[in-house]
Amino acid sequence: MSNTLEKIEQSDFDKQYKARIKTLYKEHYQKLLRHIMNKGLTSREAEDIAQEAFVKLLGLDQPSIESYIQAYLYKIATNLSIDKLRRQARSPISYANEQYSDLTDTRTPEKINQSRQQVEDIERRLMKLPLKCRQAFVLYKFKGMGYGDIAQLMCITESMVRKYVLQAVRACYQGMAK
């Protein structure tokens, strides 16, 4: 958190603009974190995205955004969150390996048991999802089918397939975030 304030302070903008960004940061940082976590991301991911959003806001050399700077900040954070969720949806297994690499680095019995419990938890979460949601997820992630092919096979829209897959991915990650 203070790292972002330091970057604001070190930026080349005039004092008035720096003060506006600092005020925005102090008043909206926690709200912004909640906004990002409501998208389905963990608190650590939300902190990273919030910091990145403020850095991007500082990198803009457009005084014209002054009047709607708060909305712009939230839009940047939302876009960064969506990008992160899309990366996760494309490859949840490699993402999980990134996030929990320490589970496989040392194969102690405790870590093996913890890994099994996480897999079982994810499995339970997937089983609680509606049948079509699970089917779309399995076809996409494990059978390697594209959204269009799944939509034709299941007689639903491609947009609905995307929603089902994202819903399943969120269910998986919510279990891992705890």
Side-chain angles (χ1 to χ4, degrees), residues 8 14 18 41 92 118 135 138 144 169:
I8 293 169
D14 64 8
K18 282 184 192 180
L41 297 169
Q118 283 183 330
Q135 287 174 331
V138 168
V169 168

mmCIF file with all atom_site columns, all heavy atoms in Angstrom, residues 8 14 18 41 92 118 135 138 144 169:
data_model
loop_
_atom_site.group_PDB
_atom_site.id
_atom_site.type_symbol
_atom_site.label_atom_id
_atom_site.label_alt_id
_atom_site.label_comp_id
_atom_site.label_asym_id
_atom_site.label_entity_id
_atom_site.label_seq_id
_atom_site.pdbx_PDB_ins_code
_atom_site.Cartn_x
_atom_site.Cartn_y
_atom_site.Cartn_z
_atom_site.occupancy
_atom_site.B_iso_or_equiv
_atom_site.pdbx_formal_charge
_atom_site.auth_seq_id
_atom_site.auth_comp_id
_atom_site.auth_asym_id
_atom_site.auth_atom_id
_atom_site.pdbx_PDB_model_num
ATOM 1  N N   . ILE A 1 8   ? 3.346   7.545   -6.259  1.00 0.00 ? 8   ILE A N   1
ATOM 2  C CA  . ILE A 1 8   ? 2.598   8.779   -6.515  1.00 0.00 ? 8   ILE A CA  1
ATOM 3  C C   . ILE A 1 8   ? 3.482   9.982   -6.197  1.00 0.00 ? 8   ILE A C   1
ATOM 4  O O   . ILE A 1 8   ? 3.579   10.925  -6.970  1.00 0.00 ? 8   ILE A O   1
ATOM 5  C CB  . ILE A 1 8   ? 1.300   8.820   -5.678  1.00 0.00 ? 8   ILE A CB  1
ATOM 6  C CG1 . ILE A 1 8   ? 0.325   7.739   -6.153  1.00 0.00 ? 8   ILE A CG1 1
ATOM 7  C CG2 . ILE A 1 8   ? 0.649   10.200  -5.742  1.00 0.00 ? 8   ILE A CG2 1
ATOM 8  C CD1 . ILE A 1 8   ? -0.866  7.527   -5.244  1.00 0.00 ? 8   ILE A CD1 1
ATOM 9  N N   . ASP A 1 14  ? 2.228   17.603  -11.368 1.00 0.00 ? 14  ASP A N   1
ATOM 10 C CA  . ASP A 1 14  ? 2.200   18.759  -10.484 1.00 0.00 ? 14  ASP A CA  1
ATOM 11 C C   . ASP A 1 14  ? 1.570   18.389  -9.132  1.00 0.00 ? 14  ASP A C   1
ATOM 12 O O   . ASP A 1 14  ? 0.938   17.359  -8.984  1.00 0.00 ? 14  ASP A O   1
ATOM 13 C CB  . ASP A 1 14  ? 1.466   19.938  -11.137 1.00 0.00 ? 14  ASP A CB  1
ATOM 14 C CG  . ASP A 1 14  ? -0.009  19.655  -11.398 1.00 0.00 ? 14  ASP A CG  1
ATOM 15 O OD1 . ASP A 1 14  ? -0.522  18.615  -10.955 1.00 0.00 ? 14  ASP A OD1 1
ATOM 16 O OD2 . ASP A 1 14  ? -0.647  20.497  -12.039 1.00 0.00 ? 14  ASP A OD2 1
ATOM 17 N N   . LYS A 1 18  ? -0.986  15.257  -7.982  1.00 0.00 ? 18  LYS A N   1
ATOM 18 C CA  . LYS A 1 18  ? -0.516  14.271  -7.001  1.00 0.00 ? 18  LYS A CA  1
ATOM 19 C C   . LYS A 1 18  ? -1.449  14.217  -5.802  1.00 0.00 ? 18  LYS A C   1
ATOM 20 O O   . LYS A 1 18  ? -1.787  13.144  -5.314  1.00 0.00 ? 18  LYS A O   1
ATOM 21 C CB  . LYS A 1 18  ? 0.898   14.612  -6.520  1.00 0.00 ? 18  LYS A CB  1
ATOM 22 C CG  . LYS A 1 18  ? 1.996   14.250  -7.459  1.00 0.00 ? 18  LYS A CG  1
ATOM 23 C CD  . LYS A 1 18  ? 3.327   14.574  -6.787  1.00 0.00 ? 18  LYS A CD  1
ATOM 24 C CE  . LYS A 1 18  ? 4.464   14.518  -7.757  1.00 0.00 ? 18  LYS A CE  1
ATOM 25 N NZ  . LYS A 1 18  ? 5.741   14.827  -7.110  1.00 0.00 ? 18  LYS A NZ  1
ATOM 26 N N   . LEU A 1 41  ? -11.753 -12.639 -7.467  1.00 0.00 ? 41  LEU A N   1
ATOM 27 C CA  . LEU A 1 41  ? -10.311 -12.755 -7.251  1.00 0.00 ? 41  LEU A CA  1
ATOM 28 C C   . LEU A 1 41  ? -9.987  -12.746 -5.758  1.00 0.00 ? 41  LEU A C   1
ATOM 29 O O   . LEU A 1 41  ? -10.772 -12.264 -4.950  1.00 0.00 ? 41  LEU A O   1
ATOM 30 C CB  . LEU A 1 41  ? -9.589  -11.607 -7.959  1.00 0.00 ? 41  LEU A CB  1
ATOM 31 C CG  . LEU A 1 41  ? -9.750  -11.616 -9.483  1.00 0.00 ? 41  LEU A CG  1
ATOM 32 C CD1 . LEU A 1 41  ? -9.237  -10.321 -10.092 1.00 0.00 ? 41  LEU A CD1 1
ATOM 33 C CD2 . LEU A 1 41  ? -9.029  -12.794 -10.096 1.00 0.00 ? 41  LEU A CD2 1
ATOM 34 N N   . PRO A 1 92  ? -6.653  -23.016 -15.890 1.00 0.00 ? 92  PRO A N   1
ATOM 35 C CA  . PRO A 1 92  ? -6.734  -23.034 -14.431 1.00 0.00 ? 92  PRO A CA  1
ATOM 36 C C   . PRO A 1 92  ? -5.700  -23.951 -13.783 1.00 0.00 ? 92  PRO A C   1
ATOM 37 O O   . PRO A 1 92  ? -5.235  -23.687 -12.691 1.00 0.00 ? 92  PRO A O   1
ATOM 38 C CB  . PRO A 1 92  ? -8.149  -23.544 -14.150 1.00 0.00 ? 92  PRO A CB  1
ATOM 39 C CG  . PRO A 1 92  ? -8.553  -24.270 -15.360 1.00 0.00 ? 92  PRO A CG  1
ATOM 40 C CD  . PRO A 1 92  ? -7.824  -23.600 -16.501 1.00 0.00 ? 92  PRO A CD  1
ATOM 41 N N   . GLN A 1 118 ? -7.431  -30.248 -1.381  1.00 0.00 ? 118 GLN A N   1
ATOM 42 C CA  . GLN A 1 118 ? -7.802  -29.162 -2.290  1.00 0.00 ? 118 GLN A CA  1
ATOM 43 C C   . GLN A 1 118 ? -8.485  -29.710 -3.538  1.00 0.00 ? 118 GLN A C   1
ATOM 44 O O   . GLN A 1 118 ? -9.473  -29.159 -4.003  1.00 0.00 ? 118 GLN A O   1
ATOM 45 C CB  . GLN A 1 118 ? -6.574  -28.342 -2.681  1.00 0.00 ? 118 GLN A CB  1
ATOM 46 C CG  . GLN A 1 118 ? -6.141  -27.393 -1.598  1.00 0.00 ? 118 GLN A CG  1
ATOM 47 C CD  . GLN A 1 118 ? -4.962  -26.536 -2.025  1.00 0.00 ? 118 GLN A CD  1
ATOM 48 O OE1 . GLN A 1 118 ? -4.144  -26.949 -2.824  1.00 0.00 ? 118 GLN A OE1 1
ATOM 49 N NE2 . GLN A 1 118 ? -4.890  -25.341 -1.471  1.00 0.00 ? 118 GLN A NE2 1
ATOM 50 N N   . GLN A 1 135 ? -20.826 -29.640 -17.564 1.00 0.00 ? 135 GLN A N   1
ATOM 51 C CA  . GLN A 1 135 ? -20.560 -30.207 -18.892 1.00 0.00 ? 135 GLN A CA  1
ATOM 52 C C   . GLN A 1 135 ? -19.743 -29.243 -19.745 1.00 0.00 ? 135 GLN A C   1
ATOM 53 O O   . GLN A 1 135 ? -18.772 -29.650 -20.386 1.00 0.00 ? 135 GLN A O   1
ATOM 54 C CB  . GLN A 1 135 ? -21.879 -30.533 -19.603 1.00 0.00 ? 135 GLN A CB  1
ATOM 55 C CG  . GLN A 1 135 ? -22.600 -31.732 -19.046 1.00 0.00 ? 135 GLN A CG  1
ATOM 56 C CD  . GLN A 1 135 ? -23.967 -31.926 -19.681 1.00 0.00 ? 135 GLN A CD  1
ATOM 57 O OE1 . GLN A 1 135 ? -24.614 -30.976 -20.112 1.00 0.00 ? 135 GLN A OE1 1
ATOM 58 N NE2 . GLN A 1 135 ? -24.407 -33.178 -19.728 1.00 0.00 ? 135 GLN A NE2 1
ATOM 59 N N   . VAL A 1 138 ? -16.108 -29.186 -18.457 1.00 0.00 ? 138 VAL A N   1
ATOM 60 C CA  . VAL A 1 138 ? -15.361 -30.413 -18.794 1.00 0.00 ? 138 VAL A CA  1
ATOM 61 C C   . VAL A 1 138 ? -15.025 -30.430 -20.284 1.00 0.00 ? 138 VAL A C   1
ATOM 62 O O   . VAL A 1 138 ? -13.889 -30.743 -20.671 1.00 0.00 ? 138 VAL A O   1
ATOM 63 C CB  . VAL A 1 138 ? -16.148 -31.673 -18.383 1.00 0.00 ? 138 VAL A CB  1
ATOM 64 C CG1 . VAL A 1 138 ? -15.536 -32.933 -18.986 1.00 0.00 ? 138 VAL A CG1 1
ATOM 65 C CG2 . VAL A 1 138 ? -16.203 -31.780 -16.860 1.00 0.00 ? 138 VAL A CG2 1
ATOM 66 N N   . GLY A 1 144 ? -10.829 -30.068 -24.536 1.00 0.00 ? 144 GLY A N   1
ATOM 67 C CA  . GLY A 1 144 ? -10.177 -29.117 -25.424 1.00 0.00 ? 144 GLY A CA  1
ATOM 68 C C   . GLY A 1 144 ? -11.068 -28.537 -26.503 1.00 0.00 ? 144 GLY A C   1
ATOM 69 O O   . GLY A 1 144 ? -10.573 -28.011 -27.500 1.00 0.00 ? 144 GLY A O   1
ATOM 70 N N   . VAL A 1 169 ? -14.926 -21.965 -13.257 1.00 0.00 ? 169 VAL A N   1
ATOM 71 C CA  . VAL A 1 169 ? -13.570 -21.544 -12.882 1.00 0.00 ? 169 VAL A CA  1
ATOM 72 C C   . VAL A 1 169 ? -13.611 -20.763 -11.575 1.00 0.00 ? 169 VAL A C   1
ATOM 73 O O   . VAL A 1 169 ? -12.788 -20.986 -10.687 1.00 0.00 ? 169 VAL A O   1
ATOM 74 C CB  . VAL A 1 169 ? -12.923 -20.705 -14.016 1.00 0.00 ? 169 VAL A CB  1
ATOM 75 C CG1 . VAL A 1 169 ? -11.655 -20.027 -13.542 1.00 0.00 ? 169 VAL A CG1 1
ATOM 76 C CG2 . VAL A 1 169 ? -12.634 -21.597 -15.217 1.00 0.00 ? 169 VAL A CG2 1
#
